Structures are given as C-alpha cells and as structure tokens.
Amino acid sequence: MQNQKHTLPQLPYAHNALEPFIDEQTMLLHHTKHHQAYIDKLNLALDKYPNLSDKSLEELLGNLEEVPEDIRVAVRNHGGGHYNHSLFWQMLAPSEVEGMSPTGKFLQELEKTFGTLADFKELFSKTALNQFGSGWGWLVLNKNKKLVVYSTSNQDNPLTQGDAPLLGIDIWEHAYYLKYQNKRQEYIGQWWNVVNWKYVEDRYRQNL
Ligand code: MN
C-alpha cells in the first residue's frame, strides 16, 4: 500500500495578514518550521505502519490506545501538533473580516454557560495564562454537548478525551515570543482581535 504522507496545509491568508496582533516573522516560523517539523516527525513514525496511512488524524488521536505502542507517543505529540496547528490557522482571520463575533445559538449557549461574552473571554484567557509550561487553551463541546473551557499540556488535543475542540489558543512560547517575549498575558489579550468566530461557530454547529 502506498503510504499517504501528511503535508503542510496552506494558510487561508498571507503570513502578514494578522499584523499587528501576530507578526509576520512569527507566523512564517510557526507555520513553515514548527508546524512542518510536527508533520515530518509524524510521517516518520507512521512509515513503519503503512496500514495506518488511511486513518485520519481524528481517528488516530481519538483512539490513541489503538495506535501501536512504539509510535503512540510520537503520534500523540507530532500528530497532535499537526492537528492542533491545522485547526489553529483556521481559527484565526484578519481582524477586518466580517462576522468577527459570535452570533445566534452559539452566542446564546456561550452566555448561558459562562455569563457574558466578556466573562467567557476572561475565563478562557485566565485558563490559557495559567497553563504551566507549553500547551493549549481550549473551548470544547463535550460528550454531553456542553461548552467547557480547559487547557492541555504539550500537543494534547481534546479529541483524545472525546471532546470536540471549537476554539484553541497556542500558548507555546514559539507562538508569541518574538513579539511579546515573556508577556503571555499580552499575547492572549491581543489574540482575541484575530479570532475567526465564523469558523468557531461552524464547528459548534457541526458537532452538535
Ligand atoms: Mn505552535
């Protein structure tokens, strides 16, 4: 069987499109070096198991216990890295794009669960800020179709615990250090300006 290699997805916008909130140099390195490295290492791990090549990342990360033990950590870290970053690029958009705030049933559910939109943003930001070391902050739709906020370490993804990721923020230092240095809080605060709420809302509807 021909081994289907994972490849780097193109960004849905230019590398400088998220300026000034996320700078071009950070986006270039993050996309073409960091994301590419996860893909290369994932492909290397999967080379040994051609029978896994037709499995999607969702299937692999959602059933990690079924992945052969000798490549399980690699799939978790590098497959997770590939999946998380592929989502992350789509979860962002230039700030001038239309529809940059949540609407409809999704907004109602956010407000029912967290209070105001500002309350939600505060909880999400605090959760991301307080994640110790590298990881991600998430808004997910859990198995009971409830909205929940939490963080994960490293490249772990909510899929692994059966939750659907709707919105995620990369809080590895490589995501912000060039522009924001050690000021993770400032990065998180500015990041809200480039959240693609339309995409997040679409994910909410698709996973209901
Ligand atoms: Mn990253």
Side-chain angles (χ1 to χ4, degrees):
M1 192 196 293
Q2 179 69 36
N3 198 344
Q4 193 77 40
K5 296 277 189 189
H6 291 271
T7 55
L8 186 68
Q10 281 199 331
L11 295 188
Y13 39 75
H15 287 102
N16 64 0
L18 306 181
E19 295 261 10
F21 309 108
I22 304 180
D23 60 292
E24 179 175 20
Q25 181 72 357
T26 295
M27 287 298 289
L28 265 172
L29 287 170
H30 200 176
H31 178 232
T32 67
K33 304 295 181 194
H34 290 279
H35 189 170
Q36 184 68 57
Y38 292 118
I39 294 168
D40 293 344
K41 288 174 185 162
L42 173 66
N43 283 331
L44 198 64
L46 291 176
D47 270 348
K48 261 183 87 176
Y49 294 95
N51 58 314
L52 294 181
S53 68
D54 60 345
K55 294 236 186 272
S56 69
L57 279 175
E58 283 92 343
E59 287 175 291
L60 291 172
L61 296 170
N63 303 281
L64 269 179
E65 69 288 347
E66 290 170 21
V67 172
E69 207 176 343
D70 62 326
I71 63 163
R72 195 174 298 156
V73 170
V75 168
R76 178 176 173 175
N77 290 338
H78 305 302
H82 178 26
Y83 187 74
N84 288 341
H85 287 85
S86 299
L87 280 182
F88 188 58
W89 311 132
Q90 299 176 82
M91 287 165 171
L92 303 178
S95 59
E96 63 271 20
V97 168
E98 290 287 325
M100 294 293 278
S101 97
T103 61
K105 182 167 162 43
F106 174 58
L107 177 60
Q108 284 172 16
E109 200 60 28
L110 270 181
E111 290 176 337
K112 201 171 99 187
T113 311
F114 303 107
T116 63
L117 180 61
D119 290 334
F120 159 70
K121 285 186 177 180
E122 190 184 330
L123 173 69
F124 184 99
S125 297
K126 198 186 290 174
T127 303
L129 181 66
N130 291 339
Q131 163 64 30
F132 180 74
S134 297
W136 291 73
W138 298 103
L139 170 70
V140 307
L141 196 64
N142 74 9
K143 280 161 279 194
N144 304 318
K145 305 301 176 190
K146 294 283 173 216
L147 293 173
V148 185
V149 165
Y150 57 76
S151 62
T152 58
S153 293
N154 304 316
Q155 294 296 348
D156 286 351
N157 184 280
L159 283 177
T160 302
Q161 52 198 82
D163 299 337
L166 303 183
L167 174 64
I169 183 170
D170 188 342
I171 42 177
W172 285 57
E173 285 186 344
H174 68 225
Y176 61 88
Y177 205 86
L178 286 181
K179 182 175 171 72
Y180 295 99
Q181 293 87 42
N182 59 320
K183 299 181 285 269
R184 184 190 278 187
Q185 187 164 19
E186 198 178 315
Y187 157 65
I188 295 169
Q190 294 298 319
W191 173 86
W192 288 109
N193 289 297
V194 289
V195 169
N196 184 346
W197 284 107
K198 184 174 182 314
Y199 179 75
V200 177
E201 206 169 316
D202 285 347
R203 291 186 65 79
Y204 172 72
R205 272 196 299 272
Q206 286 155 11
N207 285 285
L208 268 183

